[in-house]
Amino acid sequence: MSAAILVVEDEPAIQELVAFTCSTHGYSVVRADSVSAAQQAVKSELPDLVILDWMLPDRGGIDFLRELRTHERTRQLPVIMLTAKSAETDRVAGLDAGADDYVVKPFSPRELMSRVRAVFRRRAPEHAGEPLSYGPLTIDPARHEVLVDGKPVKMGLAEFKLLRYLLSHPERVLSRPQLLDSVWGDHVFIEERTVDVHVLRLRKALSQANAQSLIQTVRGLGYRLSSRADS
Ligand code: CA
């Protein structure tokens, strides 16, 4: 349910601080103390965000960042660089290599979490932990609640995650593979038809409040959350 953050940091005290901060804010945490350990972690399960130290024992964090940006599977992965380097050229290098943000050491846990939330808000709003709304629909992820016109609607966990993802990308056509990844993770092998089953259940749940037509089928492409009738 909670978003997974991969913490790549070789200094034990800082790794502990970052991991502890993230987990107390409800994120699940995977730790790595080198680029090779981080590669393994990403290979076995794609995290939702990476906090990446600049200086690591085997290779530079920025090398790993460039590598992530090269591969289709990890190209969009949000990355926050952790760096002792505050020189402007280093920051520019990090951002040029595709970092979404950077935090300069020493940093406060509060600052770090506000950066994490800002990056999630921009790149993956379904993980920002904040309410999402579209038309009559509102999701409160913290309370695990779906409201239609202010009234609660009950649904299963998979339907909840599906709706959360659709709500964070309103008016956009989302393919079955995208929806699968968002709900079940990218390493789980589930047939694409499963998405159709859960969309049916989601529509059924929303029909309690007469809001089922917001989930539109876009033939041959996937699904879209929209109140427009032009699909
Ligand atoms: Ca380091």
Side-chain angles (χ1 to χ4, degrees):
M1 185 71 217
S2 57
I5 298 182
L6 171 63
V7 178
V8 192
E9 168 64 80
D10 59 317
E11 247 169 283
I14 297 175
Q15 189 198 77
E16 181 58 31
L17 174 71
V18 174
F20 178 78
T21 304
C22 292
S23 59
T24 53
H25 283 79
Y27 296 105
S28 69
V29 176
V30 176
R31 305 172 186 219
D33 56 9
S34 64
V35 169
S36 60
Q39 286 169 323
Q40 275 308 313
V42 167
K43 205 173 159 191
S44 69
E45 195 172 356
L46 192 63
D48 298 299
L49 183 140
V50 181
I51 297 175
L52 177 61
D53 187 28
W54 186 284
M55 302 276 278
L56 290 156
D58 50 351
R59 280 168 60 201
I62 198 163
D63 272 3
F64 181 53
L65 173 60
R66 288 200 185 100
E67 189 182 293
L68 291 173
R69 292 295 176 251
T70 313
H71 297 107
E72 183 60 34
R73 181 169 168 259
T74 52
R75 186 165 293 152
Q76 300 293 329
L77 187 55
V79 175
I80 296 176
M81 292 288 296
L82 219 53
T83 169
K85 305 182 173 209
S86 56
E88 195 186 359
T89 48
D90 293 329
R91 276 183 275 162
V92 169
L95 294 172
D96 278 353
D100 293 277
D101 205 351
Y102 57 86
V103 176
V104 179
K105 293 178 194 172
F107 52 87
S108 71
R110 222 173 124 181
E111 183 194 357
L112 178 66
M113 288 328 289
S114 101
R115 299 296 179 103
V116 166
R117 272 195 301 273
V119 168
F120 270 141
R121 211 176 291 133
R122 199 165 63 207
R123 300 285 314 281
E126 69 274 23
H127 296 313
E130 293 167 345
L132 300 163
S133 310
Y134 178 85
L137 285 174
T138 302
I139 270 193
D140 185 342
R143 301 177 64 183
H144 201 273
E145 197 170 52
V146 177
L147 302 169
V148 180
D149 287 323
K151 294 194 188 90
V153 169
K154 287 203 184 313
M155 63 183 66
L157 181 59
E159 288 73 53
F160 179 86
K161 287 183 172 181
L162 197 56
L163 182 60
R164 186 178 61 175
Y165 191 68
L166 285 160
L167 256 174
S168 59
H169 304 87
E171 311 267 349
R172 261 175 55 189
V173 180
L174 301 169
S175 68
R176 285 174 179 79
Q178 274 178 304
L179 292 167
L180 267 182
D181 287 358
S182 73
V183 177
W184 289 278
D186 81 322
H187 261 35
V188 181
F189 297 97
I190 296 176
E191 285 183 69
E192 290 189 11
R193 264 186 318 191
T194 309
V195 172
D196 303 333
V197 172
H198 289 281
V199 166
L200 267 174
R201 289 187 191 159
L202 176 57
R203 282 191 178 127
K204 200 174 166 207
L206 292 175
S207 72
Q208 300 166 57
N210 209 21
Q212 69 279 15
S213 60
L214 288 170
I215 313 295
Q216 301 177 348
T217 304
V218 183
R219 197 168 300 205
L221 294 174
Y223 294 98
R224 171 172 65 191
L225 176 74
S226 178
S227 54
R228 300 203 317 248
D230 61 358
S231 71

